[in-house]
Amino acid sequence: VRRLSSRDQFVDRDVFGFTMDTSGQGLFAYFFMVALGDSVVDGKVLPERRYENDWDGPWIGRSAEFEGGWSVEMFLPWSMFNIPKGEGPRDIGFAVSRHVSILNQRYQWPGHSYSTPQFVSALNNFVVDGVQPKKQFSIIPYVSAIKDSARELTDLRIGVDMNWKPSTLFELTATLNPDFGAVEADDVVLNLTALETFFPEKRLFFLEGNEVFATTPRASSGSAHREISNEDYANTSRRAFVADFLPSPISLLNTRRIGGTANQVNPVADVVLNQGERDVPTDLLGAVKFTGSLENFRYGILAAAEDDVNWRGIDGLGKAVDVIADGREFTVVRLLYEKSKGDRIGIGYLGTLASGALYDAKVHGLDMHYGPASGNLSADIQLLTSDVAGLSGYGGILDVRYASSSSIQHKLELDYFDDSVDVNDLGFLRRNNYRGAQYVWSYARSESGKLMKGMRGTVVLRHQTNLTAGQVIDRGVYWRQKIELPGRNTIRSLLAYLPEHYQDLDSRGNGAYRTDSRAFWSLLWSTDASRMFSFSSGIGRFQEDLGGWSMRTSAGVTARFTDSLFLDFDVKYTQRKGWLVHQGQRNFGAYDGIDWQPSVDLNWFVAAGHQLRFSLQWAGVRMSEHGFYAIPETDGDLVAATRIRPDYDFTVSLLTTQIRYRWEIAPLTDLFIVYNRGNKLPFRHRDEFSDLFSDTFRDPIVDTLIAKFRYRFGN
């Protein structure tokens, strides 16, 4: 969301949108939206309809009411666009749209609905003379003061960001001694499995201009979620979604690894690290990014270097010691050929190198893309090979989409990754050692009846097998549906059936156990978001691996007191029965208990350019063990095991909270004051939820106060 605007400010307003393709080749487009009340949002659209809100341009949009309607004006400077070199008149693609909030109707020229396969390649055309973009240059120095009470550190940092674009052939973006302390806090995610959680990038340096590094639609978590759910993310109802069984991205470049937690530190004998040290992000010394285009070729080069790792701990004598290790270095190279006039053809290469004190990790990827001019068919291929510490592996994906009509689409996904492929030093692959197929049938239908205004959804069939043992590790049938009701209400539902299969990862390399056949259902209702108070509530039931039925309920409210002050409160309550959690080696415990996850998000736009935000998320879990099992030596059904301890009860308490004030003085010139506090308590035995919640505040592992000021010089 651009600058200080919020999506919640678009809920009950008329909105005007403008989309522009300055390349004239359908490679990507920019979109701009202005709502009544001058709230603005911008971003980019990759073919054909992959929206990315990570671009921030120095444009101005204003609206005005008058008798009988309202008007909007935009000032879009040519210098902010990526425009290919050329002489004489230019062909520019464009689309205009208007959303009438009170009627929940959208008008667009050209008239492509959200369900049609074409968008970027089917824009209107107009010819413009005299377009001569200025050479761009900006330098943004900053100073920040950081007080870390949890680690008893005080730091003053001075750094600089620079952007230089002498022509479309070349653009340089660099950052020296960057400080990313003022970005949004990550969501709290409770994950006790062996699978890694994907967290999206939120740092502007790595977000802006990243479209050249995207190799397939599945590299973006947003695109992957949109295809599986067929969501149009309409804002007529409160923003609440069914997020179960959504896929993780498959990406060769996950920039969250850069400056993330260190993974190349030799353990030091007799040293116990302080709580939370392994989760501390690594400081960056600097990063540089080169991007550009020439005719149908685009390229990108990214390099970054981390500072030394400095962990704190206690040695065998009880003395405080520092564990110091060299930081890592990262290099990314991208070259892409694309032709979008008529049939879309693309072929690209992306290579990454992560160098550390213990090993080097190299990944090479080749991606190919095809789509006819009609837009009803597309194919994307990603082939890759990795070499990590001398161990090589390979894999690939194939995605084929076919739109039989404007409301029906089909997609086939094929995956293959051997047991040695590893891209996770600089990319993201949730697991290897599998082959699989997935079919997605998407449908959408508009209605004008009294009982229903529209319906859209997907049916998904999935089947995966591991390569080393030939075991079925994932299979199921999933039906998602969204129904729009009169009065701007929405019902979302999910039905799933998962036949028995093997779970081969949660034992952390100690065998695979067979799960029972399972069922899952969920129902979520949300009300008109234009009201002062809008609500959502959900209920669902699902079977655990051994067949026990767990229940989940959720509730939330958005209070829009004024156009500049609104509050979101959500809570999820899960009652688990027979939840299997790994207990070391081949052992698992089956748990009954309660999982609470409340969250609060308060936004106050104090005045033009001033925002005050408070956010808090907490996950509290109390589980009692009611069964102890082990994986048999030959794999298969879990068998009863002997407890070593009297019981294996546990608790979890995760907290993240942030208070942030931002004053946007001008584009890319602002003042941040941010306070972050977070904690992850070790397992307790029988603490109450009130004690778990209060104790997360008493001795946090994250307790920082940051003041940062940056000022932009340049055109």
Side-chain angles (χ1 to χ4, degrees):
V1 176
R2 178 178 179 257
R3 301 188 187 164
L4 300 188
S5 298
S6 166
R7 287 191 179 275
D8 291 340
Q9 293 180 297
F10 287 76
V11 166
D12 63 345
R13 312 241 182 127
D14 284 3
V15 177
F16 176 81
F18 183 71
T19 305
M20 181 186 299
D21 168 28
T22 55
S23 71
Q25 302 176 21
L27 300 179
F28 58 84
Y30 303 84
F31 72 86
F32 310 86
M33 295 171 59
V34 177
L36 184 61
D38 295 344
S39 300
V40 297
V41 65
D42 59 12
K44 290 185 178 181
V45 193
L46 303 181
E48 279 290 333
R49 201 183 293 272
R50 290 154 52 198
Y51 292 91
E52 305 286 349
N53 292 330
D54 51 35
W55 176 75
D56 185 7
W59 62 284
I60 300 172
R62 294 289 185 267
S63 66
E65 293 183 81
F66 61 91
E67 185 177 354
W70 66 285
S71 66
V72 62
E73 294 184 22
M74 297 178 178
F75 171 66
L76 310 175
W78 293 116
S79 59
M80 71 178 178
F81 295 111
N82 186 2
I83 301 179
K85 185 178 180 180
E87 300 293 337
R90 295 179 182 269
D91 290 327
I92 304 293
F94 78 96
V96 293
S97 65
R98 183 192 174 196
H99 180 260
V100 182
S101 178
I102 192 171
L103 300 176
N104 190 23
Q105 292 179 351
R106 180 171 172 263
Y107 303 87
Q108 179 167 298
W109 180 43
H112 297 295
S113 70
Y114 187 88
S115 302
T116 55
Q118 280 188 293
F119 181 63
V120 173
S121 63
L123 298 176
N124 298 308
N125 286 317
F126 68 98
V127 178
V128 181
D129 288 316
V131 178
Q132 296 297 333
K134 294 181 179 179
K135 296 180 179 180
Q136 294 183 53
F137 177 78
S138 62
I139 184 168
I140 309 173
Y142 75 86
V143 58
S144 66
I146 305 171
K147 180 176 177 56
D148 187 342
S149 300
R151 305 185 79 213
E152 298 181 347
L153 293 174
T154 301
D155 190 19
L156 179 67
R157 304 192 67 173
I158 298 175
V160 63
D161 295 340
M162 185 191 74
N163 178 266
W164 178 43
K165 187 176 181 180
S167 72
T168 59
L169 302 178
F170 176 81
E171 180 176 2
L172 167 66
T173 306
T175 181
L176 180 64
N177 198 26
D179 170 34
F180 298 122
V183 299
E184 296 182 33
D186 285 323
D187 292 337
V188 166
V189 178
L190 178 65
N191 182 8
L192 301 184
T193 72
L195 297 173
E196 182 183 6
T197 299
F198 175 80
F199 291 101
E201 180 62 87
K202 298 181 179 180
R203 300 170 294 181
L204 288 179
F205 174 84
F206 294 109
L207 282 173
E208 295 205 4
N210 68 344
E211 65 275 353
V212 71
F213 296 102
T215 56
T216 70
R218 273 206 269 172
S220 165
S221 61
S223 296
H225 292 179
R226 188 177 292 109
E227 289 185 341
I228 291 297
S229 63
N230 197 20
E231 270 284 357
D232 57 358
Y233 297 101
N235 58 1
T236 57
S237 301
R238 186 174 191 267
R239 293 179 63 81
F241 306 99
V242 178
D244 301 279
F245 303 111
L246 291 177
S248 295
I250 296 177
S251 176
L252 304 191
L253 177 59
N254 174 25
T255 53
R256 285 295 296 261
R257 307 289 189 195
I258 303 174
T261 55
N263 67 345
Q264 296 205 39
V265 180
N266 271 320
V268 179
D270 299 327
V271 172
V272 178
L273 295 176
N274 295 344
Q275 183 185 355
E277 285 295 293
R278 293 184 182 274
D279 299 323
V280 174
T282 310
D283 290 334
L284 281 180
L285 296 175
V288 61
K289 180 166 52 180
F290 301 90
T291 58
S293 62
L294 176 62
E295 299 296 335
N296 292 325
F297 287 92
R298 290 191 289 155
Y299 69 90
I301 301 173
L302 172 65
E306 293 178 338
D307 201 353
D308 289 345
V309 180
N310 189 349
W311 287 343
R312 298 184 170 191
I314 303 295
D315 65 12
L317 301 177
K319 181 180 177 182
V321 295
D322 290 337
V323 177
I324 299 176
D326 293 336
R328 298 165 296 181
E329 296 179 350
F330 303 91
T331 306
V332 183
V333 177
R334 172 67 163 161
L335 180 63
L336 175 64
Y337 170 84
E338 276 189 315
K339 183 184 77 69
S340 294
K341 289 276 190 176
D343 294 351
R344 177 175 178 256
I345 299 174
I347 182 169
Y349 163 81
L350 189 142
T352 68
L353 171 63
S355 300
L358 304 182
Y359 62 86
D360 291 345
K362 305 172 186 176
V363 175
H364 302 277
L366 180 68
D367 55 282
M368 293 167 281
H369 317 273
Y370 171 74
S374 63
N376 63 346
L377 177 68
S378 67
D380 299 280
I381 300 175
Q382 173 80 76
L383 305 175
L384 63 96
T385 179
S386 67
D387 184 342
V388 180
L391 181 63
S392 298
Y394 62 92
I397 62 174
L398 167 64
D399 295 347
V400 179
R401 301 170 191 81
Y402 172 67
S404 56
S405 69
S406 62
S407 58
I408 301 294
Q409 297 189 41
H410 309 264
K411 183 185 180 187
L412 177 64
E413 299 179 354
L414 300 178
D415 298 6
Y416 184 95
F417 295 97
D418 72 8
D419 61 334
S420 299
V421 67
D422 183 1
V423 305
N424 285 340
D425 282 88
L426 195 45
F428 191 92
L429 179 62
R430 202 170 192 198
R431 67 161 297 154
N432 58 11
N433 184 29
Y434 80 96
R435 61 172 175 262
Q438 179 168 272
Y439 166 73
V440 182
W441 177 61
S442 305
Y443 60 91
R445 192 174 72 187
S446 297
E447 300 284 348
S448 57
K450 294 182 179 180
L451 299 180
M452 184 172 59
K453 296 297 183 182
M455 177 175 60
R456 60 192 309 118
T458 59
V459 175
V460 179
L461 307 178
R462 180 184 304 156
H463 189 280
Q464 293 181 352
T465 305
N466 62 27
L467 301 177
T468 52
Q471 299 163 334
V472 176
I473 55 172
D474 190 10
R475 57 180 171 180
V477 182
Y478 311 86
W479 178 30
R480 299 177 183 273
Q481 184 162 263
K482 169 187 172 182
I483 299 176
E484 298 177 19
L485 303 175
R488 298 161 55 107
N489 297 314
T490 301
I491 295 177
R492 291 178 170 89
S493 60
L494 170 61
L495 293 175
Y497 173 68
L498 292 77
E500 67 176 32
H501 60 272
Y502 280 86
Q503 171 51 256
D504 64 337
L505 292 183
D506 275 355
S507 67
R508 281 71 170 174
N510 292 288
Y513 67 87
R514 185 165 42 227
T515 72
D516 289 349
S517 297
R518 297 179 291 150
F520 180 102
W521 66 265
S522 180
L523 194 66
L524 179 65
W525 171 65
S526 53
T527 68
D528 182 359
S530 67
R531 304 288 184 180
M532 177 177 288
F533 295 97
S534 58
F535 303 91
S536 65
S537 59
I539 186 170
R541 296 200 70 189
F542 57 96
Q543 286 182 280
E544 303 286 355
D545 285 351
L546 296 183
W549 280 95
S550 296
M551 181 182 71
R552 177 184 300 152
T553 58
S554 64
V557 58
T558 296
R560 303 181 68 249
F561 304 108
T562 67
D563 288 339
S564 59
L565 177 63
F566 42 89
L567 169 73
D568 284 304
F569 174 76
D570 288 273
V571 62
K572 295 179 181 178
Y573 171 85
T574 306
Q575 188 174 22
R576 308 292 297 246
K577 187 173 181 61
W579 182 23
L580 283 179
V581 180
H582 185 236
Q583 296 299 317
Q585 300 300 316
R586 306 177 76 88
N587 297 324
F588 285 82
Y591 291 89
D592 297 348
I594 304 299
D595 171 6
W596 280 101
Q597 296 193 35
S599 65
V600 179
D601 192 1
L602 174 67
N603 277 276
W604 182 22
F605 295 89
V606 184
H610 296 264
Q611 180 196 27
L612 183 64
R613 184 188 182 200
F614 168 75
S615 62
L616 180 147
Q617 296 182 50
W618 181 65
V621 175
R622 293 183 67 234
M623 291 290 155
S624 299
E625 180 253 308
H626 289 283
F628 200 70
Y629 304 93
I631 299 175
E633 293 297 328
T634 57
D635 293 345
D637 296 333
L638 291 172
V639 297
T642 303
R643 296 176 178 83
I644 300 175
R645 304 198 305 261
D647 65 65
Y648 288 79
D649 298 352
F650 72 89
T651 63
V652 176
S653 184
L654 296 170
L655 169 76
T656 179
T657 185
Q658 183 181 85
I659 302 174
R660 184 180 70 183
Y661 166 73
R662 182 183 178 188
W663 174 22
E664 187 191 53
I665 304 167
L668 301 179
T669 297
D670 40 35
L671 170 68
F672 284 99
I673 299 177
V674 184
Y675 176 69
N676 294 300
R677 193 177 186 93
N679 207 344
K680 178 181 179 181
L681 293 183
F683 286 177
R684 306 276 186 97
H685 193 62
R686 288 188 174 88
D687 279 17
E688 298 296 330
F689 281 110
S690 57
D691 296 330
L692 293 174
F693 184 75
S694 60
D695 287 352
T696 54
F697 283 94
R698 290 199 182 107
D699 187 21
I701 59 177
V702 176
D703 189 34
T704 58
L705 178 64
I706 304 167
K708 176 181 177 181
F709 175 74
R710 64 177 181 175
Y711 187 86
R712 176 178 178 264
F713 299 92
N715 58 12

